[in-house]
Amino acid sequence: MNDAYVYQSFIGILRAAQATIFLPMLATPPYADVIDALIDRAKAGVRIRILLAAPGLVETVRGAHMAQLADERIREWARQLDAFDNVGIRLYHRPSTMRYSSWLLVDGVKCRIDIYDPRHQRSLEGVMIETVSPPGLDLNLVSLVTDGLEQAWASALPLGYGKRLLKRARFHWPAVSGAVTLTVALLLGSAPGAQTYMFGVSSSLVATAIIRYRHNVAAGLRSLASRIGEDDR
């Protein structure tokens, strides 16, 4: 990773992108040559997705002194690229997503993987490997990288409170819809027929939410039972 060729060839790969660029990072600053390459590709219509760690996660991994710096870098990334509709920036909060830090996926066929421990090492301490799917083939490593990054993107949140709130509402739509319909049902006390109908809709949505979150509920109950057991001892 400290080899000058690794970085220069990285810029070259960015500039050669024809359709998509996927760039996950921890708290990397927006270097001028990277921004120039991304702006060039954005103007050419390339879809660019940038994943950055939320300041709270950076603080957990790198220490409190890095949280403010991470926030400043996030705002700088946004300032540099906010003018382009085909550029998306999201923040991830899950520690598992750090595994993809300093990786790169271009056009769905070329990936670079920085091999290091993001909890205990800096990205420059890693070793970079590169894999390209030949025409007509979809190499398993490239597809694994693609699937992992897509899942990380889906769980990350857009910048801005309103966008994050909307995304959370869309992701948790059964619970949100169930709460809304239950509220409406309670307000329809003077219309028993309509109230019964809304209670039915609310019950269905709540049941859907329970099914969706069953693993979270089970984990929460196990954690609660464990704490109760410790208190009893």
Side-chain angles (χ1 to χ4, degrees), residues 69-90:
L69 187 59
D71 183 66
E72 292 172 358
R73 289 175 176 176
I74 289 167
R75 284 189 274 112
E76 186 61 19
W77 277 103
R79 187 187 68 80
Q80 299 267 21
L81 299 170
D82 193 51
F84 300 97
D85 292 335
N86 52 327
V87 177
I89 301 176
R90 292 187 180 182

Side-chain angles (χ1 to χ4, degrees), residues 221-233:
L221 291 175
R222 286 195 297 269
S223 177
L224 178 61
S226 176
R227 288 198 297 270
I228 292 175
E230 291 177 357
D231 292 341
D232 290 341
R233 288 196 298 270

Side-chain angles (χ1 to χ4, degrees), residues 1 6 10 102-104 112-115 126-130:
M1 284 295 293
V6 173
F10 162 70
S102 301
W103 287 23
L104 174 66
R112 280 192 162 196
I113 302 175
D114 185 7
I115 303 174
V127 176
M128 182 68 73
I129 64 172
E130 179 178 315

Side-chain angles (χ1 to χ4, degrees), residues 47 49 51 89-94 149-174 176 212-213:
R47 183 192 179 196
R49 289 183 287 179
L51 267 176
I89 301 176
R90 292 187 180 182
L91 304 183
Y92 63 88
H93 298 74
R94 297 179 177 179
L149 291 180
E150 290 291 348
Q151 292 173 11
W153 183 259
S155 65
L157 298 176
L159 296 180
Y161 178 78
K163 291 180 180 179
R164 293 199 299 270
L165 187 62
L166 178 61
K167 178 175 173 60
R168 285 191 181 277
R170 289 175 58 189
F171 182 77
H172 300 292
W173 69 265
V176 173
R212 169 172 286 199
Y213 307 132

Side-chain angles (χ1 to χ4, degrees), residues 181-214:
T181 53
L182 179 61
T183 301
V184 172
L186 294 173
L187 294 174
L188 291 174
S190 58
Q195 185 183 53
T196 301
Y197 173 78
M198 293 303 293
F199 270 128
V201 173
S202 177
S203 299
S204 299
L205 290 167
V206 169
T208 302
I210 291 174
I211 293 172
R212 169 172 286 199
Y213 307 132
R214 62 188 183 279

